[in-house]
Amino acid sequence: MKKIFLALIFLAFIFPCSAQNSEKENNDSTLQVMVPRDVFIGDSGQIQYSFRCPVDFFAFSESSSNEVLEINLKAEDFLEDPLSCLVTKTTLSRTGINYNLCITFIPWKTGIIKFRKFNLEEICRKEKGKVSADFNIELSPVVILSLAEKLGATTLRPAKAPEVLPYTNYYVWFFIVLAVILFSLFCTAIIKLPEILRKWKEIKTKISFYKNAVKTKRHLNILLRKKIPDADFSEQWQIILREYLEYRFKSPFASVTGKNIEYKIYKITGGMMSEKQEKAVEELTAHFVRTNYIRFASGSIDSKMLPAEEHQAGFVNGEKKSLILSTHKIIDAFEKEEIDG
């Protein structure tokens, strides 16, 4: 009985010592570091808490990798005052049974920020149900500094002009001058808009007249290569020239007789033609009279009169080519000199 009593006394002394050593070893195996060492209000800081634990926290999350686990740690989970900080990111990394808990946060107030215990396993498997063991972590308080207190500032600094990039003033003045020039051009364009529109209309008209002249000359050249009777040649020549005159003078020429061509053009232009153009109109009228004679005088008494080159109802040798070349010159006279129509 005496031996049993002595054994109990021995165990009573040994057990507290073993517990104290275990607690000391556990405390020595944890390390808390603040990065950076001095954190000011509004800055981003990190609490890095290193510890050793045989629990596999990574097995509690399906989305974890082998080395880093992102944890949904909220401010109300471990802060005594959840409004004192904004937790932006929390990660847990490991090497064997050595873990490192990294909490990135932004403090909103100065002074001491205190933390309360939280179960890391419960945080890691928050949606997995009941935890199997309690592994509580209690972080040491951290101090958030005031930049004004550190600098010893007691009054507000005077207002400072905004800093600008080099040569910014030159760019600003360049764009101001450019804007003034563009605005001046815009105002000038508005004032002279009627004149600009009139000039543009004149240019479009000249381009359309030029295209009409080119098309007419091309049709005349095609007609010259055709092997057709003289009467048909004369009829097609008149059709081509009447279409040209209708477009050029914006007036119908289909029912105008050959002898009245000159009168019709004079009436349209009001006689405002150059000497070269008046001569071209006379030649054009003569060509219409000649082609009309070839079309309608075939077999008549007049067609048998002499000299034959003036009275026969057909073209003499080389007359078709001469007619086409003369028509080209007449068109050039109308197009290259201004006609008031």
Side-chain angles (χ1 to χ4, degrees), residues 213 216-217 220 237 241 244-245 248-249 261 265 276-288 322-337 339:
T216 303
K217 289 181 179 181
L220 290 172
W237 179 89
L241 263 295
Y244 166 77
L245 293 173
R248 185 63 181 77
F249 295 103
I261 292 291
I265 295 176
K276 185 177 181 181
Q277 290 169 347
E278 290 179 355
K279 185 178 179 181
V281 172
E282 293 176 0
E283 291 181 4
L284 180 63
T285 304
H287 292 331
F288 266 97
S322 177
L323 174 62
I324 299 301
L325 292 176
S326 177
T327 307
H328 282 201
K329 293 179 180 180
I330 292 170
I331 294 173
D332 291 339
F334 287 156
E335 301 301 330
K336 292 181 180 179
E337 296 190 31
I339 299 179

Side-chain angles (χ1 to χ4, degrees), residues 103-116:
I103 304 174
T104 305
F105 68 100
I106 299 175
W108 297 133
K109 70 175 186 179
T110 59
I112 299 175
I113 295 180
K114 296 182 179 180
F115 306 96
R116 54 190 179 86

Side-chain angles (χ1 to χ4, degrees), residues 73-83 85-87 116:
L73 183 65
K74 300 178 181 179
E76 55 268 19
D77 292 334
F78 71 109
L79 285 168
E80 288 191 358
D81 182 7
L83 300 179
C85 294
L86 172 65
V87 180
R116 54 190 179 86

Side-chain angles (χ1 to χ4, degrees), residues 25-26 29-30 49-58 66-67 92-101 120 135:
E25 180 180 347
N26 182 57
S29 64
T30 62
Y49 183 81
S50 301
F51 62 93
R52 299 180 66 185
C53 181
V55 179
D56 186 4
F57 296 100
F58 283 64
N66 293 328
E67 297 180 355
L92 180 66
S93 58
R94 70 175 177 182
T95 304
I97 63 172
N98 296 314
Y99 289 90
N100 182 59
L101 178 66
L120 183 59
F135 188 83

Side-chain angles (χ1 to χ4, degrees), residues 146-159:
S146 171
L147 188 60
E149 292 178 359
K150 183 175 182 179
L151 297 177
T154 57
T155 58
L156 294 176
R157 294 184 179 182

Side-chain angles (χ1 to χ4, degrees), residues 58-340:
F58 283 64
F60 304 143
S61 177
E62 297 178 356
S63 61
S64 65
S65 64
N66 293 328
E67 297 180 355
V68 179
L69 171 66
E70 289 194 10
I71 301 175
N72 185 21
L73 183 65
K74 300 178 181 179
E76 55 268 19
D77 292 334
F78 71 109
L79 285 168
E80 288 191 358
D81 182 7
L83 300 179
S84 61
C85 294
L86 172 65
V87 180
T88 58
K89 187 177 181 181
T90 303
T91 59
L92 180 66
S93 58
R94 70 175 177 182
T95 304
I97 63 172
N98 296 314
Y99 289 90
N100 182 59
L101 178 66
C102 180
I103 304 174
T104 305
F105 68 100
I106 299 175
W108 297 133
K109 70 175 186 179
T110 59
I112 299 175
I113 295 180
K114 296 182 179 180
F115 306 96
R116 54 190 179 86
K117 290 182 181 181
F118 65 94
N119 191 324
L120 183 59
E121 182 181 348
E122 182 181 1
I123 297 297
C124 291
R125 58 188 299 173
K126 203 153 196 177
E127 298 180 0
K128 293 287 184 175
K130 192 175 180 180
V131 297
S132 60
D134 289 337
F135 188 83
N136 294 322
I137 292 180
E138 185 176 6
L139 301 175
S140 301
V142 295
V143 179
I144 305 302
L145 303 177
S146 171
L147 188 60
E149 292 178 359
K150 183 175 182 179
L151 297 177
T154 57
T155 58
L156 294 176
R157 294 184 179 182
K160 185 178 180 181
E163 297 182 359
V164 296
L165 296 174
Y167 306 106
T168 301
N169 291 334
Y170 295 102
Y171 294 133
V172 171
W173 280 109
F174 171 76
F175 286 112
I176 290 175
V177 173
L178 181 61
V180 171
I181 294 174
L182 293 177
F183 181 74
S184 301
L185 293 175
F186 177 75
C187 293
T188 303
I190 293 296
I191 295 171
K192 296 186 177 182
L193 183 60
E195 183 179 353
I196 294 173
L197 293 176
R198 183 179 62 81
K199 290 289 185 182
W200 173 244
K201 187 176 180 181
E202 289 179 359
I203 293 172
K204 287 181 64 178
T205 302
K206 288 182 178 180
I207 293 174
S208 64
F209 285 163
Y210 172 77
K211 290 181 178 179
N212 182 48
V214 171
K215 182 185 72 174
T216 303
K217 289 181 179 181
R218 185 173 67 251
H219 289 171
L220 290 172
N221 293 335
I222 294 172
L223 177 62
L224 182 62
R225 293 193 295 268
K226 290 183 178 180
K227 304 297 182 181
I228 57 176
D230 293 347
D232 294 341
F233 184 93
S234 299
E235 181 182 5
Q236 292 189 24
W237 179 89
Q238 288 190 5
I239 292 173
I240 294 172
L241 263 295
R242 288 181 191 277
E243 289 179 355
Y244 166 77
L245 293 173
E246 285 185 3
Y247 192 90
R248 185 63 181 77
F249 295 103
K250 306 301 179 184
S251 181
F253 277 81
S255 60
V256 180
T257 61
K259 292 182 179 181
N260 291 329
I261 292 291
E262 183 176 0
Y263 172 76
K264 177 76 172 181
I265 295 176
Y266 270 99
K267 184 179 179 181
I268 295 172
T269 61
M272 302 297 292
M273 292 187 297
S274 65
E275 182 179 351
K276 185 177 181 181
Q277 290 169 347
E278 290 179 355
K279 185 178 179 181
V281 172
E282 293 176 0
E283 291 181 4
L284 180 63
T285 304
H287 292 331
F288 266 97
V289 172
R290 174 63 176 156
T291 52
N292 271 340
Y293 181 78
I294 293 173
R295 290 179 62 192
F296 303 113
S298 178
S300 64
I301 298 175
D302 291 341
S303 64
K304 298 177 182 180
M305 294 176 61
L306 297 175
E309 60 272 10
E310 295 180 6
H311 295 90
Q312 68 178 5
F315 293 109
V316 297
N317 189 25
E319 188 177 358
K320 288 183 179 179
K321 184 176 180 180
S322 177
L323 174 62
I324 299 301
L325 292 176
S326 177
T327 307
H328 282 201
K329 293 179 180 180
I330 292 170
I331 294 173
D332 291 339
F334 287 156
E335 301 301 330
K336 292 181 180 179
E337 296 190 31
E338 198 68 27
I339 299 179
D340 295 331

